[in-house]
PDB file of all heavy atoms in Angstrom:
ATOM      1  N   GLU B   1       0.832  -1.210   0.000  1.00 95.00           N
ATOM      2  CA  GLU B   1       0.000   0.000   0.000  1.00 95.00           C
ATOM      3  C   GLU B   1       0.865   1.258   0.000  1.00 95.00           C
ATOM      4  O   GLU B   1       0.555   2.234  -0.683  1.00 95.00           O
ATOM      5  CB  GLU B   1      -0.951   0.017   1.193  1.00 95.00           C
ATOM      6  CG  GLU B   1      -2.119  -0.924   1.074  1.00 95.00           C
ATOM      7  CD  GLU B   1      -3.124  -0.553  -0.008  1.00 95.00           C
ATOM      8  OE1 GLU B   1      -3.088   0.574  -0.548  1.00 95.00           O
ATOM      9  OE2 GLU B   1      -3.957  -1.410  -0.319  1.00 95.00           O
ATOM     10  N   ILE B   2       1.954   1.221   0.772  1.00 96.00           N
ATOM     11  CA  ILE B   2       2.871   2.361   0.792  1.00 96.00           C
ATOM     12  C   ILE B   2       3.466   2.568  -0.597  1.00 96.00           C
ATOM     13  O   ILE B   2       3.507   3.687  -1.117  1.00 96.00           O
ATOM     14  CB  ILE B   2       3.980   2.175   1.853  1.00 96.00           C
ATOM     15  CG1 ILE B   2       3.391   2.296   3.268  1.00 96.00           C
ATOM     16  CG2 ILE B   2       5.120   3.169   1.647  1.00 96.00           C
ATOM     17  CD1 ILE B   2       4.357   1.932   4.388  1.00 96.00           C
ATOM     18  N   ALA B   3       3.906   1.473  -1.231  1.00 94.00           N
ATOM     19  CA  ALA B   3       4.499   1.568  -2.572  1.00 94.00           C
ATOM     20  C   ALA B   3       3.496   2.129  -3.570  1.00 94.00           C
ATOM     21  O   ALA B   3       3.834   3.010  -4.369  1.00 94.00           O
ATOM     22  CB  ALA B   3       5.002   0.194  -3.018  1.00 94.00           C
ATOM     23  N   ALA B   4       2.261   1.652  -3.523  1.00 95.00           N
ATOM     24  CA  ALA B   4       1.238   2.140  -4.450  1.00 95.00           C
ATOM     25  C   ALA B   4       0.971   3.621  -4.220  1.00 95.00           C
ATOM     26  O   ALA B   4       0.862   4.400  -5.179  1.00 95.00           O
ATOM     27  CB  ALA B   4      -0.052   1.332  -4.281  1.00 95.00           C
ATOM     28  N   TYR B   5       0.897   4.035  -2.989  1.00 95.00           N
ATOM     29  CA  TYR B   5       0.641   5.438  -2.683  1.00 95.00           C
ATOM     30  C   TYR B   5       1.784   6.323  -3.163  1.00 95.00           C
ATOM     31  O   TYR B   5       1.570   7.389  -3.721  1.00 95.00           O
ATOM     32  CB  TYR B   5       0.408   5.608  -1.182  1.00 95.00           C
ATOM     33  CG  TYR B   5      -0.052   6.991  -0.812  1.00 95.00           C
ATOM     34  CD1 TYR B   5      -1.378   7.369  -0.977  1.00 95.00           C
ATOM     35  CD2 TYR B   5       0.846   7.926  -0.319  1.00 95.00           C
ATOM     36  CE1 TYR B   5      -1.809   8.642  -0.660  1.00 95.00           C
ATOM     37  CE2 TYR B   5       0.426   9.206   0.000  1.00 95.00           C
ATOM     38  CZ  TYR B   5      -0.902   9.557  -0.173  1.00 95.00           C
ATOM     39  OH  TYR B   5      -1.312  10.826   0.141  1.00 95.00           O
ATOM     40  N   ARG B   6       3.012   5.843  -2.967  1.00 94.00           N
ATOM     41  CA  ARG B   6       4.189   6.635  -3.343  1.00 94.00           C
ATOM     42  C   ARG B   6       4.301   6.831  -4.851  1.00 94.00           C
ATOM     43  O   ARG B   6       4.861   7.823  -5.290  1.00 94.00           O
ATOM     44  CB  ARG B   6       5.451   6.009  -2.768  1.00 94.00           C
ATOM     45  CG  ARG B   6       5.524   6.179  -1.242  1.00 94.00           C
ATOM     46  CD  ARG B   6       6.774   5.543  -0.680  1.00 94.00           C
ATOM     47  NE  ARG B   6       7.952   6.195  -1.187  1.00 94.00           N
ATOM     48  CZ  ARG B   6       8.708   7.050  -0.518  1.00 94.00           C
ATOM     49  NH1 ARG B   6       8.400   7.352   0.716  1.00 94.00           N
ATOM     50  NH2 ARG B   6       9.766   7.584  -1.061  1.00 94.00           N
ATOM     51  N   VAL B   7       3.771   5.894  -5.649  1.00 94.00           N
ATOM     52  CA  VAL B   7       3.828   6.060  -7.111  1.00 94.00           C
ATOM     53  C   VAL B   7       2.557   6.698  -7.662  1.00 94.00           C
ATOM     54  O   VAL B   7       2.410   6.853  -8.878  1.00 94.00           O
ATOM     55  CB  VAL B   7       4.127   4.723  -7.849  1.00 94.00           C
ATOM     56  CG1 VAL B   7       5.476   4.176  -7.453  1.00 94.00           C
ATOM     57  CG2 VAL B   7       3.020   3.719  -7.650  1.00 94.00           C
ATOM     58  N   GLY B   8       1.633   7.054  -6.781  1.00 94.00           N
ATOM     59  CA  GLY B   8       0.443   7.771  -7.206  1.00 94.00           C
ATOM     60  C   GLY B   8      -0.754   6.929  -7.560  1.00 94.00           C
ATOM     61  O   GLY B   8      -1.749   7.448  -8.059  1.00 94.00           O
ATOM     62  N   THR B   9      -0.683   5.617  -7.330  1.00 95.00           N
ATOM     63  CA  THR B   9      -1.821   4.759  -7.658  1.00 95.00           C
ATOM     64  C   THR B   9      -2.554   4.280  -6.414  1.00 95.00           C
ATOM     65  O   THR B   9      -3.557   3.570  -6.533  1.00 95.00           O
ATOM     66  CB  THR B   9      -1.360   3.527  -8.467  1.00 95.00           C
ATOM     67  OG1 THR B   9      -0.438   2.771  -7.691  1.00 95.00           O
ATOM     68  CG2 THR B   9      -0.727   3.951  -9.789  1.00 95.00           C
ATOM     69  N   GLY B  10      -2.076   4.655  -5.250  1.00 93.00           N
ATOM     70  CA  GLY B  10      -2.701   4.205  -4.010  1.00 93.00           C
ATOM     71  C   GLY B  10      -3.876   5.062  -3.599  1.00 93.00           C
ATOM     72  O   GLY B  10      -4.100   6.151  -4.127  1.00 93.00           O
ATOM     73  N   ASP B  11      -4.621   4.548  -2.663  1.00 95.00           N
ATOM     74  CA  ASP B  11      -5.779   5.242  -2.117  1.00 95.00           C
ATOM     75  C   ASP B  11      -5.488   5.564  -0.648  1.00 95.00           C
ATOM     76  O   ASP B  11      -5.150   4.659   0.115  1.00 95.00           O
ATOM     77  CB  ASP B  11      -7.004   4.330  -2.231  1.00 95.00           C
ATOM     78  CG  ASP B  11      -8.213   4.922  -1.567  1.00 95.00           C
ATOM     79  OD1 ASP B  11      -8.857   5.786  -2.177  1.00 95.00           O
ATOM     80  OD2 ASP B  11      -8.508   4.516  -0.415  1.00 95.00           O
ATOM     81  N   PRO B  12      -5.608   6.834  -0.241  1.00 95.00           N
ATOM     82  CA  PRO B  12      -5.294   7.206   1.140  1.00 95.00           C
ATOM     83  C   PRO B  12      -6.102   6.425   2.178  1.00 95.00           C
ATOM     84  O   PRO B  12      -5.562   6.023   3.207  1.00 95.00           O
ATOM     85  CB  PRO B  12      -5.632   8.696   1.207  1.00 95.00           C
ATOM     86  CG  PRO B  12      -5.639   9.173  -0.198  1.00 95.00           C
ATOM     87  CD  PRO B  12      -6.001   7.989  -1.041  1.00 95.00           C
ATOM     88  N   GLY B  13      -7.374   6.183   1.901  1.00 95.00           N
ATOM     89  CA  GLY B  13      -8.205   5.425   2.840  1.00 95.00           C
ATOM     90  C   GLY B  13      -7.726   3.992   3.006  1.00 95.00           C
ATOM     91  O   GLY B  13      -7.681   3.464   4.119  1.00 95.00           O
ATOM     92  N   ARG B  14      -7.377   3.356   1.889  1.00 96.00           N
ATOM     93  CA  ARG B  14      -6.843   1.984   1.962  1.00 96.00           C
ATOM     94  C   ARG B  14      -5.516   1.963   2.697  1.00 96.00           C
ATOM     95  O   ARG B  14      -5.242   1.051   3.480  1.00 96.00           O
ATOM     96  CB  ARG B  14      -6.660   1.412   0.555  1.00 96.00           C
ATOM     97  CG  ARG B  14      -7.864   0.708   0.010  1.00 96.00           C
ATOM     98  CD  ARG B  14      -7.556  -0.193  -1.193  1.00 96.00           C
ATOM     99  NE  ARG B  14      -6.442   0.245  -2.026  1.00 96.00           N
ATOM    100  CZ  ARG B  14      -6.569   0.910  -3.173  1.00 96.00           C
ATOM    101  NH1 ARG B  14      -7.754   1.231  -3.637  1.00 96.00           N
ATOM    102  NH2 ARG B  14      -5.507   1.257  -3.870  1.00 96.00           N
ATOM    103  N   LEU B  15      -4.677   2.970   2.440  1.00 97.00           N
ATOM    104  CA  LEU B  15      -3.376   3.045   3.095  1.00 97.00           C
ATOM    105  C   LEU B  15      -3.539   3.141   4.612  1.00 97.00           C
ATOM    106  O   LEU B  15      -2.918   2.384   5.363  1.00 97.00           O
ATOM    107  CB  LEU B  15      -2.582   4.239   2.571  1.00 97.00           C
ATOM    108  CG  LEU B  15      -1.237   4.515   3.244  1.00 97.00           C
ATOM    109  CD1 LEU B  15      -0.271   3.358   3.044  1.00 97.00           C
ATOM    110  CD2 LEU B  15      -0.645   5.807   2.711  1.00 97.00           C
ATOM    111  N   VAL B  16      -4.387   4.040   5.066  1.00 97.00           N
ATOM    112  CA  VAL B  16      -4.597   4.199   6.509  1.00 97.00           C
ATOM    113  C   VAL B  16      -5.241   2.942   7.088  1.00 97.00           C
ATOM    114  O   VAL B  16      -4.866   2.486   8.171  1.00 97.00           O
ATOM    115  CB  VAL B  16      -5.436   5.459   6.817  1.00 97.00           C
ATOM    116  CG1 VAL B  16      -5.832   5.509   8.291  1.00 97.00           C
ATOM    117  CG2 VAL B  16      -4.655   6.710   6.439  1.00 97.00           C
ATOM    118  N   GLY B  17      -6.180   2.351   6.373  1.00 97.00           N
ATOM    119  CA  GLY B  17      -6.802   1.112   6.844  1.00 97.00           C
ATOM    120  C   GLY B  17      -5.798  -0.004   7.002  1.00 97.00           C
ATOM    121  O   GLY B  17      -5.804  -0.738   8.003  1.00 97.00           O
ATOM    122  N   GLU B  18      -4.921  -0.153   6.025  1.00 97.00           N
ATOM    123  CA  GLU B  18      -3.898  -1.208   6.104  1.00 97.00           C
ATOM    124  C   GLU B  18      -2.918  -0.913   7.236  1.00 97.00           C
ATOM    125  O   GLU B  18      -2.488  -1.817   7.944  1.00 97.00           O
ATOM    126  CB  GLU B  18      -3.175  -1.350   4.776  1.00 97.00           C
ATOM    127  CG  GLU B  18      -2.400  -2.633   4.654  1.00 97.00           C
ATOM    128  CD  GLU B  18      -3.245  -3.880   4.824  1.00 97.00           C
ATOM    129  OE1 GLU B  18      -4.350  -3.967   4.267  1.00 97.00           O
ATOM    130  OE2 GLU B  18      -2.789  -4.807   5.545  1.00 97.00           O
ATOM    131  N   PHE B  19      -2.558   0.356   7.406  1.00 98.00           N
ATOM    132  CA  PHE B  19      -1.688   0.743   8.519  1.00 98.00           C
ATOM    133  C   PHE B  19      -2.325   0.342   9.848  1.00 98.00           C
ATOM    134  O   PHE B  19      -1.673  -0.228  10.715  1.00 98.00           O
ATOM    135  CB  PHE B  19      -1.432   2.258   8.484  1.00 98.00           C
ATOM    136  CG  PHE B  19      -0.864   2.805   9.760  1.00 98.00           C
ATOM    137  CD1 PHE B  19       0.458   2.572  10.102  1.00 98.00           C
ATOM    138  CD2 PHE B  19      -1.660   3.538  10.625  1.00 98.00           C
ATOM    139  CE1 PHE B  19       0.980   3.067  11.292  1.00 98.00           C
ATOM    140  CE2 PHE B  19      -1.142   4.045  11.810  1.00 98.00           C
ATOM    141  CZ  PHE B  19       0.179   3.801  12.143  1.00 98.00           C
ATOM    142  N   ARG B  20      -3.601   0.622  10.018  1.00 97.00           N
ATOM    143  CA  ARG B  20      -4.284   0.310  11.280  1.00 97.00           C
ATOM    144  C   ARG B  20      -4.337  -1.199  11.529  1.00 97.00           C
ATOM    145  O   ARG B  20      -4.258  -1.644  12.666  1.00 97.00           O
ATOM    146  CB  ARG B  20      -5.686   0.904  11.291  1.00 97.00           C
ATOM    147  CG  ARG B  20      -5.683   2.436  11.363  1.00 97.00           C
ATOM    148  CD  ARG B  20      -7.086   2.996  11.470  1.00 97.00           C
ATOM    149  NE  ARG B  20      -7.779   2.551  12.664  1.00 97.00           N
ATOM    150  CZ  ARG B  20      -7.600   3.062  13.886  1.00 97.00           C
ATOM    151  NH1 ARG B  20      -6.745   4.047  14.069  1.00 97.00           N
ATOM    152  NH2 ARG B  20      -8.278   2.589  14.906  1.00 97.00           N
ATOM    153  N   ARG B  21      -4.474  -1.995  10.469  1.00 97.00           N
ATOM    154  CA  ARG B  21      -4.562  -3.457  10.608  1.00 97.00           C
ATOM    155  C   ARG B  21      -3.208  -4.144  10.724  1.00 97.00           C
ATOM    156  O   ARG B  21      -3.125  -5.292  11.168  1.00 97.00           O
ATOM    157  CB  ARG B  21      -5.309  -4.053   9.418  1.00 97.00           C
ATOM    158  CG  ARG B  21      -6.789  -3.789   9.410  1.00 97.00           C
ATOM    159  CD  ARG B  21      -7.473  -4.516   8.256  1.00 97.00           C
ATOM    160  NE  ARG B  21      -7.088  -4.000   6.953  1.00 97.00           N
ATOM    161  CZ  ARG B  21      -7.640  -2.943   6.356  1.00 97.00           C
ATOM    162  NH1 ARG B  21      -8.599  -2.277   6.963  1.00 97.00           N
ATOM    163  NH2 ARG B  21      -7.244  -2.552   5.170  1.00 97.00           N
ATOM    164  N   ALA B  22      -2.151  -3.479  10.313  1.00 98.00           N
ATOM    165  CA  ALA B  22      -0.828  -4.108  10.263  1.00 98.00           C
ATOM    166  C   ALA B  22      -0.239  -4.319  11.652  1.00 98.00           C
ATOM    167  O   ALA B  22      -0.373  -3.471  12.531  1.00 98.00           O
ATOM    168  CB  ALA B  22       0.121  -3.240   9.442  1.00 98.00           C
ATOM    169  N   VAL B  23       0.406  -5.451  11.818  1.00 98.00           N
ATOM    170  CA  VAL B  23       1.211  -5.682  13.017  1.00 98.00           C
ATOM    171  C   VAL B  23       2.582  -5.102  12.713  1.00 98.00           C
ATOM    172  O   VAL B  23       3.262  -5.524  11.781  1.00 98.00           O
ATOM    173  CB  VAL B  23       1.327  -7.181  13.356  1.00 98.00           C
ATOM    174  CG1 VAL B  23       2.259  -7.380  14.543  1.00 98.00           C
ATOM    175  CG2 VAL B  23      -0.048  -7.775  13.638  1.00 98.00           C
ATOM    176  N   LEU B  24       2.953  -4.092  13.487  1.00 98.00           N
ATOM    177  CA  LEU B  24       4.211  -3.382  13.269  1.00 98.00           C
ATOM    178  C   LEU B  24       5.214  -3.730  14.348  1.00 98.00           C
ATOM    179  O   LEU B  24       4.850  -4.136  15.454  1.00 98.00           O
ATOM    180  CB  LEU B  24       3.950  -1.872  13.258  1.00 98.00           C
ATOM    181  CG  LEU B  24       3.003  -1.396  12.158  1.00 98.00           C
ATOM    182  CD1 LEU B  24       2.594   0.044  12.389  1.00 98.00           C
ATOM    183  CD2 LEU B  24       3.658  -1.556  10.795  1.00 98.00           C
ATOM    184  N   ILE B  25       6.467  -3.544  14.022  1.00 98.00           N
ATOM    185  CA  ILE B  25       7.562  -3.746  14.959  1.00 98.00           C
ATOM    186  C   ILE B  25       7.993  -2.373  15.449  1.00 98.00           C
ATOM    187  O   ILE B  25       8.415  -1.536  14.654  1.00 98.00           O
ATOM    188  CB  ILE B  25       8.718  -4.482  14.267  1.00 98.00           C
ATOM    189  CG1 ILE B  25       8.281  -5.915  13.932  1.00 98.00           C
ATOM    190  CG2 ILE B  25       9.967  -4.460  15.130  1.00 98.00           C
ATOM    191  CD1 ILE B  25       9.273  -6.673  13.092  1.00 98.00           C
ATOM    192  N   ALA B  26       7.846  -2.142  16.753  1.00 98.00           N
ATOM    193  CA  ALA B  26       8.210  -0.856  17.353  1.00 98.00           C
ATOM    194  C   ALA B  26       9.376  -1.093  18.306  1.00 98.00           C
ATOM    195  O   ALA B  26       9.217  -1.742  19.343  1.00 98.00           O
ATOM    196  CB  ALA B  26       7.018  -0.266  18.099  1.00 98.00           C
ATOM    197  N   PRO B  27      10.573  -0.598  17.952  1.00 97.00           N
ATOM    198  CA  PRO B  27      11.736  -0.816  18.827  1.00 97.00           C
ATOM    199  C   PRO B  27      11.554  -0.108  20.163  1.00 97.00           C
ATOM    200  O   PRO B  27      10.921   0.938  20.249  1.00 97.00           O
ATOM    201  CB  PRO B  27      12.904  -0.235  18.037  1.00 97.00           C
ATOM    202  CG  PRO B  27      12.302   0.666  17.021  1.00 97.00           C
ATOM    203  CD  PRO B  27      10.906   0.192  16.772  1.00 97.00           C
ATOM    204  N   LEU B  28      12.128  -0.723  21.187  1.00 96.00           N
ATOM    205  CA  LEU B  28      12.046  -0.164  22.531  1.00 96.00           C
ATOM    206  C   LEU B  28      13.160   0.840  22.761  1.00 96.00           C
ATOM    207  O   LEU B  28      14.300   0.631  22.336  1.00 96.00           O
ATOM    208  CB  LEU B  28      12.105  -1.284  23.570  1.00 96.00           C
ATOM    209  CG  LEU B  28      10.983  -2.316  23.444  1.00 96.00           C
ATOM    210  CD1 LEU B  28      11.195  -3.451  24.445  1.00 96.00           C
ATOM    211  CD2 LEU B  28       9.624  -1.675  23.632  1.00 96.00           C
ATOM    212  N   ALA B  29      12.845   1.922  23.402  1.00 92.00           N
ATOM    213  CA  ALA B  29      13.825   2.978  23.694  1.00 92.00           C
ATOM    214  C   ALA B  29      14.905   2.444  24.612  1.00 92.00           C
ATOM    215  O   ALA B  29      14.625   1.720  25.567  1.00 92.00           O
ATOM    216  CB  ALA B  29      13.132   4.175  24.338  1.00 92.00           C
ATOM    217  N   GLY B  30      16.115   2.781  24.315  1.00 77.00           N
ATOM    218  CA  GLY B  30      17.235   2.372  25.156  1.00 77.00           C
ATOM    219  C   GLY B  30      17.508   0.883  25.152  1.00 77.00           C
ATOM    220  O   GLY B  30      18.273   0.384  25.959  1.00 77.00           O
ATOM    221  N   GLY B  31      16.862   0.142  24.255  1.00 62.00           N
ATOM    222  CA  GLY B  31      17.087  -1.288  24.180  1.00 62.00           C
ATOM    223  C   GLY B  31      16.574  -2.030  25.388  1.00 62.00           C
ATOM    224  O   GLY B  31      16.995  -3.135  25.671  1.00 62.00           O
ATOM    225  N   SER B  32      15.633  -1.458  26.114  1.00 55.00           N
ATOM    226  CA  SER B  32      15.109  -2.062  27.326  1.00 55.00           C
ATOM    227  C   SER B  32      14.204  -3.237  26.995  1.00 55.00           C
ATOM    228  O   SER B  32      13.165  -3.069  26.368  1.00 55.00           O
ATOM    229  CB  SER B  32      14.326  -1.019  28.136  1.00 55.00           C
ATOM    230  OG  SER B  32      13.700  -1.614  29.223  1.00 55.00           O
ATOM    231  N   VAL B  33      14.592  -4.436  27.423  1.00 54.00           N
ATOM    232  CA  VAL B  33      13.807  -5.631  27.158  1.00 54.00           C
ATOM    233  C   VAL B  33      12.482  -5.591  27.908  1.00 54.00           C
ATOM    234  O   VAL B  33      11.460  -6.053  27.419  1.00 54.00           O
ATOM    235  CB  VAL B  33      14.598  -6.910  27.526  1.00 54.00           C
ATOM    236  CG1 VAL B  33      13.758  -8.144  27.339  1.00 54.00           C
ATOM    237  CG2 VAL B  33      15.862  -6.994  26.683  1.00 54.00           C
ATOM    238  N   ASP B  34      12.453  -4.975  29.093  1.00 53.00           N
ATOM    239  CA  ASP B  34      11.207  -4.931  29.863  1.00 53.00           C
ATOM    240  C   ASP B  34      10.289  -3.796  29.422  1.00 53.00           C
ATOM    241  O   ASP B  34       9.176  -3.660  29.916  1.00 53.00           O
ATOM    242  CB  ASP B  34      11.484  -4.832  31.360  1.00 53.00           C
ATOM    243  CG  ASP B  34      12.170  -3.538  31.776  1.00 53.00           C
ATOM    244  OD1 ASP B  34      12.349  -2.647  30.932  1.00 53.00           O
ATOM    245  OD2 ASP B  34      12.527  -3.428  32.952  1.00 53.00           O
ATOM    246  N   GLY B  35      10.737  -2.968  28.477  1.00 47.00           N
ATOM    247  CA  GLY B  35       9.902  -1.905  27.946  1.00 47.00           C
ATOM    248  C   GLY B  35       9.807  -0.690  28.849  1.00 47.00           C
ATOM    249  O   GLY B  35       9.050   0.223  28.591  1.00 47.00           O
ATOM    250  N   ALA B  36      10.595  -0.661  29.924  1.00 53.00           N
ATOM    251  CA  ALA B  36      10.506   0.444  30.879  1.00 53.00           C
ATOM    252  C   ALA B  36      10.838   1.779  30.232  1.00 53.00           C
ATOM    253  O   ALA B  36      10.367   2.813  30.681  1.00 53.00           O
ATOM    254  CB  ALA B  36      11.435   0.186  32.066  1.00 53.00           C
ATOM    255  N   GLY B  37      11.620   1.773  29.168  1.00 64.00           N
ATOM    256  CA  GLY B  37      11.977   3.011  28.509  1.00 64.00           C
ATOM    257  C   GLY B  37      10.948   3.477  27.498  1.00 64.00           C
ATOM    258  O   GLY B  37      11.067   4.538  26.934  1.00 64.00           O
ATOM    259  N   GLY B  38       9.924   2.699  27.243  1.00 92.00           N
ATOM    260  CA  GLY B  38       8.915   3.063  26.253  1.00 92.00           C
ATOM    261  C   GLY B  38       9.361   2.733  24.845  1.00 92.00           C
ATOM    262  O   GLY B  38      10.325   1.999  24.624  1.00 92.00           O
TER     263      GLY B  38
END
C-alpha cells in the first residue's frame, strides 16, 4: 500500500486502513527488554 501510494496509484483510505490493521515492529527505547523506557 505504501508503494502504491508513493507512485500515485494508491488510495489514502486503503493506506490508513492497512496501517491500522498491520502488526508493526516498534523498537524499545534504550534497548530495554522490559519496555521500561517506552
Side-chain angles (χ1 to χ4, degrees):
E1 285 292 347
I2 290 172
Y5 188 80
R6 289 179 63 104
V7 298
T9 61
D11 174 80
R14 271 197 330 261
L15 175 63
V16 171
E18 196 58 44
F19 165 74
R20 291 184 61 79
R21 288 185 293 276
V23 176
L24 299 169
I25 292 172
L28 300 175
S32 174
V33 176
D34 65 6

